[in-house]
Amino acid sequence: MRFLVLFVIALNLYSHPLNITKMTLDENKSTLFMRFAIFNIYKAFHKEEFNKKQVTNYILKHIKISNCKILPKKIVVRNEIVVDTYFDLQCKGIYSIKFNLFFDFDKTQQGVLKVISDKEKVLIFSSRKEEYKLKNKQNQFILFLKEGIIHILEGIDHIFFLTMLIVSVLFKHLKLKYSIFEIIKIATAFTISHSITLSLSMLNIITPPDKIIEVLIAVTILFVALNNFYNWFSKEWKMAFIFGFIHGFGFANALREMNVRLDNFIQVVFGFNSGVEIGQLFIILVLTPILFILKSDKILKIISIITILLSILWIIDRIFSLHLMPF
């Protein structure tokens, strides 16, 4: 009965939904405010008694701001209904925010964060979207150049795609300098096509669904790996050009996940794309000599078969949203 009474009071006095944590991050004052219903603490601790240190520790486990120290200031419990928490921030450079407070026991929970800086913006956290990357005053080109490099180096599917194209060239048993020349043609063709779709997507001219693109990226890997056996395309740069259009949409999806606003389209997109190219060049420079030294039809076929199996698993995993693949 007590819970029911408090529930009604909470809704009327504070108009505060029980499954929403309201937050304000003021970059100018370096402060963070957070308000949530006390019922959520009861559920989290499985009891109605707690001390403020326990609450602080629990909160700090579920909100992370990179390159920032979150310093507890005070906690106020109002009418046994809501909890107000106050923090000071010490931040350096760009930061991202990850928030999943109460998500572990209630998937309907949300966090609504108002960020106050030069401009105000609101971020909505949920069990499907726990992290945002925020802009800072760094040069946008340099900032997204770094993001592009990180994205391609962490993108295992893109790396496998490039690897299969390199393997396809090495199957021809060309001399190293001719192999490198062919791989440069592949990289150039791939760059041209994915730059086109990346730009079109970020300008909202063509925006195919994310899930379809992720499946198609896996299909491109499967196709290129199979081509090593069936030789449907004798010119690898043509495959790279055609399939680069699909990968470009994938790169655009990654940019959107960073919650970017294209106030400066050229710096953001060109910076990110340049980062992708630097990362791609690094992959090529590392893999090509290694594969060239190890090359033999047997080894190249084994690498291709492993990639075929992985790409099939990727396709199944992405079609049915199984999330079983670790990458």
Side-chain angles (χ1 to χ4, degrees):
M1 184 67 182
R2 180 187 176 192
F3 276 91
L4 179 61
V5 171
L6 288 176
F7 175 82
V8 173
I9 293 173
L11 291 181
N12 285 281
L13 290 184
Y14 286 89
S15 299
H16 191 288
L18 299 182
N19 65 337
I20 294 180
T21 299
K22 296 181 179 179
M23 298 171 282
T24 301
L25 190 158
D26 192 327
E27 292 187 52
N28 301 319
K29 297 179 180 178
S30 297
T31 58
L32 173 67
F33 167 75
M34 186 181 300
R35 168 176 287 182
F36 50 82
I38 201 169
F39 295 99
N40 292 316
I41 289 294
Y42 294 158
K43 290 180 183 179
F45 294 164
H46 305 291
K47 58 183 180 180
E48 295 184 29
E49 295 181 2
F50 57 85
N51 59 53
K52 293 181 179 180
K53 185 176 180 180
Q54 288 177 312
V55 175
T56 298
N57 291 337
Y58 183 79
I59 291 171
L60 293 179
K61 287 181 180 178
H62 293 87
I63 182 167
K64 303 294 180 184
I65 306 177
S66 64
N67 297 327
C68 281
K69 277 188 177 181
I70 305 177
L71 306 174
K73 193 172 182 181
K74 66 177 179 177
I75 294 178
V76 179
V77 179
R78 301 189 183 280
N79 297 328
E80 296 186 78
I81 297 169
V82 296
V83 180
D84 287 346
T85 59
Y86 301 82
F87 301 90
D88 288 327
L89 302 176
Q90 293 179 353
C91 300
K92 295 180 180 179
I94 186 173
Y95 59 87
S96 63
I97 298 180
K98 184 174 183 180
F99 174 88
N100 54 17
L101 191 65
F102 311 128
F103 291 178
D104 49 348
F105 61 81
D106 183 359
K107 296 300 182 184
T108 69
Q109 288 284 334
Q110 289 186 316
V112 179
L113 174 64
K114 180 168 71 172
V115 180
I116 301 173
S117 54
D118 297 333
K119 297 180 181 179
E120 289 190 11
K121 55 186 168 186
V122 175
L123 308 178
I124 308 296
F125 297 88
S126 69
S127 58
R128 294 190 301 269
K129 179 67 174 176
E130 296 185 2
E131 185 171 8
Y132 286 91
K133 291 189 177 180
L134 303 183
K135 294 196 305 181
N136 68 354
K137 295 181 180 179
Q138 286 186 6
N139 178 282
Q140 292 298 291
F141 176 81
I142 299 299
L143 175 61
F144 285 96
L145 178 77
K146 295 177 183 177
E147 292 293 343
I149 294 172
I150 292 170
H151 177 73
I152 193 69
L153 294 181
E154 291 181 345
I156 302 299
D157 47 359
H158 299 299
I159 291 174
F160 268 93
F161 178 74
L162 289 171
T163 301
M164 282 301 95
L165 289 169
I166 294 171
V167 167
S168 184
V169 170
L170 296 181
F171 257 123
K172 297 178 178 179
H173 299 287
L174 302 171
K175 290 183 179 180
L176 181 58
K177 68 176 182 179
Y178 294 114
S179 295
I180 292 174
F181 177 71
E182 289 297 318
I183 291 167
I184 290 173
K185 284 169 59 177
I186 288 171
T188 303
F190 184 63
T191 297
I192 292 171
S193 58
H194 80 61
S195 299
I196 292 171
T197 47
L198 170 62
S199 299
L200 290 175
S201 184
M202 293 309 296
L203 289 170
N204 293 317
I205 296 174
I206 304 175
T207 54
D210 296 358
K211 183 175 180 179
I212 291 177
I213 293 303
E214 290 302 311
V215 173
L216 288 177
I217 286 174
V219 171
T220 66
I221 300 167
L222 175 61
F223 187 96
V224 176
L226 288 172
N227 188 70
N228 291 337
F229 295 96
Y230 297 104
N231 198 31
W232 294 315
F233 276 79
S234 59
K235 301 292 185 182
E236 290 77 14
W237 69 266
K238 291 183 179 179
M239 281 193 297
F241 182 77
I242 293 170
F243 293 146
F245 289 115
I246 296 172
H247 286 252
F249 287 121
F251 296 144
N253 292 340
L255 261 181
R256 287 199 189 85
E257 288 175 1
M258 297 173 199
N259 195 42
V260 299
R261 293 179 301 176
L262 298 183
D263 298 331
N264 192 328
F265 177 84
I266 294 176
Q267 282 195 13
V268 170
V269 175
F270 185 61
F272 183 81
N273 205 49
S274 298
V276 168
E277 302 319 313
I278 292 172
Q280 176 181 290
L281 180 61
F282 175 79
I283 292 167
I284 290 171
L285 291 176
V286 170
L287 288 180
T288 302
I290 294 173
L291 292 172
F292 188 85
I293 293 170
L294 298 175
K295 76 171 181 175
S296 72
D297 284 350
K298 184 177 180 180
I299 292 176
L300 296 179
K301 285 178 180 178
I302 290 173
I303 294 173
S304 297
I305 290 171
I306 292 172
T307 304
I308 288 170
L309 294 175
L310 274 175
S311 59
I312 291 172
L313 290 175
W314 261 320
I315 292 169
I316 295 171
D317 190 65
R318 293 174 179 183
I319 287 175
F320 297 103
S321 301
L322 301 176
H323 304 295
L324 298 177
M325 296 288 283
F327 39 74

